[in-house]
Amino acid sequence: MTAAAPSVGVPLPPRPGRLLRMGRTVRYYVPAIMVFIGVIVLWELAVRGFGMQAFILPAPSAIGAALVENWGAGRWPLFEAARVTLFEAVGGLLIGTTVGLIVAFGIARWATARDAVLPFAIAANAIPIIAIAPIFNAWFGITNPLSKMMIAALLVFFPIMINVTRGLTQVEPSALELMRSYAASDWEILRKLRLPNALPYFLTALKVATTLSLIGAIVGEYFGGASNVIGRVVVQSASALRFDVTWAAILLGAITGIAFYLAIVALERVLIPWHSTVRGEHPG
Amino acid sequence: MTDSSQPTPVVRVSGVDKQFTVGHGVTTALDGIDLEIGRGEFVSLIGPSGCGKSTLLRLIGDLTAPTAGSVEVNGKPAHAARRGREYGMVFQAPVLFEWRSVSDNVKLPLELLGMDRSERDARAREMLALVELSDFASHHPYQLSGGMQQRVAIARALALQPSILLMDEPFGALDEMTRERMNAEVLRIWQQTGTTIVFVTHSIPEAVFLSTRVAVMSARPGRITHVVDVALPQPRNDETREDPRYFRHVTEVREALRSGGALGAEPALVSEERMAAEGGIG
């Protein structure tokens, strides 16, 4: 079908071919990969060249060896440790996100709820997490993973709550007028305008929350609990001067965090392909 | 077409005042407005910024309530007409939902009406054909130019087949060339659908080119000072813009604006947009 009258629009540029797009993707990641490799090589050379002691800084090769060696066996089976820590983090993320969402919807709907709840939410956010962790361990049982989950949940709650509230309330005034001109009910406005508007805000907060939930879980573990978790492995291997294991545990924690983060990025691409943060030229 | 003596006009505004509270003071946006618009008319509201022309349009659409006087649409109070979804609204910004495809944006009012899916699909196709965007049904708004986005907004406004279309400076953000093409487009749609159109603009040529009548307003307090009948033949096209009568009407509107104290008046202290925002969403 072709337009009879002069078309006002501009034709879309043709989508680049698959190969070309893959090429662009590779080229986009090349600088980061080069920097990464460069840093690892320099690190290795520096440790060997200056004869650095392992307790100051183990060589990347030593860390890699420790990771492989302790993957499923030894005093600190790292894979199992990462699995338990991730379990705590995911649990905390779920709890914190659920409560954050409930509070956000309440705040967005009722101004009274906002005035009543917001000061406490801000106060909760201001509590130093290090200070609250031992208390939560006592409250929810030091060996119970729930104590670590609650610490993670406390960290996760605030960004989720604030961002979702923003997404639900910071709707274009003209979009509200449009809905009003159609005599839309509050429920329809929520479902067709506020919710889709809040989705990108929610996913942005969720990305931050993944990292925070891991931090919360690991900090909780520092103050005691089940022995084979990332936080305990870090504490114990360091006091045993096995810094190669400490670094391996930190590395594994970081990889877990990145994987967790990337899972949300993937979710974002499925849920909000239309959003400016997702449809940009560059992947990642 | 200009027959305001019909028994029930589409719009009847009688004795309307509108005041806004800004800070500690009260600003009179509209003062003693009387206006009747008959079926099938194309009426433009023109005036300097701050004259309350957008506010008047919002009053007709029941997006804000008058301080005094009454607004009737199709013989009913404006709020009943809004509840009955009897009008379509086009804003200066297209206000498309970025998470919806072009076609789904057009379907939004149909969903709110509770129309079933097959009927919605058919109506959306029909409306997109009307604005000549059939090929872009599955695109997303960000993939369209400003002019195309505004055409989607027009398709959405017409989807409920309203008896009246309210347009608030719909082409104000477009460049001159696109604006002229959009003007021709609106005239074509107006003739094809027979919808009554109330059109807010601050462009004199645009108002004269499009309208059967131009209501000229003055600022602070906002009043309708003149109503100019535009006796130009239909259909209007590029030749209309070179017709000596067209220039006469442009001059007539310009002089009406000047005598209303509009041209050369000091700029409004409180912008109309601000006032609309203050009193807007009730």
Side-chain angles (χ1 to χ4, degrees):
Chain A
M1 206 187 284
T2 47
S7 174
V8 177
V10 285
L12 290 174
R15 270 183 78 69
R18 205 184 150 74
L19 263 176
L20 195 65
R21 267 184 289 142
M22 268 173 59
R24 276 189 200 156
T25 306
V26 170
R27 220 176 311 149
Y28 177 76
Y29 286 117
V30 160
I33 293 168
M34 299 293 282
V35 169
F36 179 74
I37 293 172
V39 168
I40 295 290
V41 168
L42 276 178
W43 180 352
E44 185 80 38
L45 289 177
V47 171
R48 284 171 192 232
F50 298 115
M52 229 178 260
Q53 296 295 319
F55 66 84
I56 295 172
L57 188 66
S61 57
I63 296 168
L67 187 62
V68 171
E69 199 181 306
N70 293 282
W71 186 254
R75 189 175 157 196
W76 300 290
L78 287 172
F79 176 74
E80 178 63 13
R83 198 189 63 76
V84 175
T85 298
L86 182 63
F87 169 70
E88 292 165 354
V90 171
L93 185 73
L94 289 177
I95 297 168
T97 301
T98 307
V99 178
L101 284 174
I102 291 170
V103 173
F105 277 90
I107 283 177
R109 183 68 184 81
W110 296 285
T112 332
R114 183 184 58 221
D115 299 340
V117 172
L118 213 53
F120 295 101
I122 291 166
N125 188 49
I127 296 173
I129 197 68
I130 303 283
I132 205 80
I135 296 172
F136 273 28
N137 278 345
W139 281 358
F140 300 102
I142 194 158
T143 53
N144 188 343
L146 185 65
S147 60
K148 316 301 182 267
M149 287 181 189
M150 293 310 282
I151 295 161
L154 185 66
L155 276 181
V156 163
F157 162 77
F158 194 75
I160 295 279
M161 188 273 287
I162 284 290
N163 255 30
V164 173
T165 304
R166 238 178 239 157
L168 290 171
T169 52
Q170 291 182 359
V171 174
E172 249 186 277
S174 50
L176 278 174
E177 283 212 317
L178 179 78
M179 293 302 274
R180 222 171 102 76
S181 81
Y182 292 130
S185 65
D186 282 352
W187 167 244
E188 285 166 332
I189 291 174
L190 177 69
R191 208 157 51 91
K192 294 193 185 292
L193 177 58
R194 293 187 191 277
L195 279 181
N197 190 68
L199 196 54
Y201 290 81
F202 172 60
L203 288 165
T204 301
L206 210 52
K207 281 193 279 188
V208 178
T210 55
T211 321
L212 287 176
S213 70
L214 266 174
I215 292 173
I218 292 172
V219 166
E221 291 162 0
Y222 268 41
F223 293 95
S227 63
N228 195 29
V229 290
I230 294 289
R232 295 308 301 161
V233 170
V234 167
V235 171
Q236 289 171 6
S237 63
S239 59
L241 299 180
R242 284 294 305 275
F243 285 99
D244 52 341
V245 178
T246 311
W247 278 91
I250 291 168
L251 178 66
L252 198 55
I255 291 170
T256 310
I258 291 165
F260 203 179
Y261 180 92
L262 289 178
I264 304 298
V265 172
L267 189 66
E268 222 173 27
R269 288 190 188 193
V270 175
L271 291 180
I272 54 167
W274 42 266
H275 195 254
S276 55
T277 53
V278 176
R279 64 174 200 246
E281 266 65 55
H282 300 302
Chain B
M1 235 161 216
T2 315
D3 186 12
S4 50
S5 64
Q6 270 184 350
T8 41
V10 178
V11 177
R12 178 184 279 142
V13 178
S14 14
V16 160
D17 297 342
K18 177 70 185 176
Q19 288 163 349
F20 290 108
T21 311
V22 180
H24 295 290
V26 171
T27 308
T28 302
L30 294 171
D31 183 40
I33 300 284
D34 293 298
L35 182 66
E36 281 195 6
I37 298 171
R39 194 155 303 283
E41 271 201 273
F42 196 129
V43 173
S44 286
L45 308 175
I46 192 167
S49 47
C51 74
K53 54 193 190 294
S54 283
T55 304
L56 179 53
L57 194 79
R58 287 177 141 81
L59 283 164
I60 297 170
D62 188 44
L63 294 175
T64 182
T67 312
S70 73
V71 180
E72 284 180 15
V73 176
N74 293 326
K76 282 166 284 190
H79 74 264
R82 180 169 67 83
R83 293 259 147 231
R85 300 177 168 100
E86 289 179 30
Y87 67 86
M89 181 96 199
V90 179
F91 301 89
Q92 179 167 4
V95 202
L96 302 176
F97 291 180
E98 55 175 347
W99 50 87
R100 284 173 171 251
S101 69
V102 163
S103 155
D104 286 345
N105 266 290
V106 175
K107 286 178 201 162
L108 173 74
L110 307 175
E111 288 168 21
L112 294 169
L113 190 69
M115 192 183 267
D116 42 300
R117 183 178 294 272
S118 59
E119 217 179 326
R120 284 203 306 254
D121 291 347
R123 182 72 66 81
R125 263 200 303 279
E126 191 189 325
M127 289 303 131
L128 286 176
L130 182 69
V131 297
E132 286 162 351
L133 283 176
S134 298
D135 293 343
F136 296 89
S138 55
H139 283 55
H140 271 75
Y142 72 88
Q143 296 170 306
L144 305 186
S145 68
M148 289 167 98
Q149 291 188 6
Q150 201 55 287
R151 273 150 72 196
V152 177
I154 293 170
R156 181 183 57 195
L158 290 170
L160 291 174
Q161 298 181 328
S163 59
I164 176 168
L165 187 59
L166 305 177
M167 306 181 88
D168 190 359
E169 294 188 41
F171 310 134
L174 303 179
D175 62 84
E176 195 62 30
M177 308 273 278
T178 313
R179 177 192 275 236
E180 283 191 6
R181 257 180 287 171
M182 292 299 290
N183 284 346
E185 193 107 337
V186 163
L187 277 181
R188 180 179 63 73
I189 290 166
W190 174 60
Q191 257 154 355
Q192 247 170 280
T193 59
T195 309
T196 308
I197 297 183
V198 186
F199 192 97
V200 167
T201 180
H202 50 227
S203 159
I204 299 170
E206 185 174 62
V208 171
F209 180 71
L210 292 174
S211 314
T212 54
R213 280 195 298 158
V214 178
V216 180
M217 298 180 68
S218 68
R220 294 193 298 127
R223 288 196 179 109
I224 296 178
T225 54
H226 299 78
V227 177
V228 176
D229 280 301
V230 183
L232 285 168
Q234 304 282 358
R236 294 177 188 172
N237 47 39
D238 285 345
E239 282 165 39
T240 308
R241 294 188 204 274
E242 283 151 31
D243 192 316
R245 285 173 293 182
Y246 169 76
F247 291 111
R248 262 206 310 279
H249 284 303
V250 168
T251 309
E252 196 181 341
V253 171
R254 182 171 289 126
E255 280 170 358
L257 278 167
R258 194 173 291 144
S259 68
L263 296 185
E266 87 272 39
L269 291 174
V270 181
S271 78
E272 195 176 338
E273 289 72 24
R274 168 80 190 284
M275 289 195 289
E278 300 269 335
I281 311 149

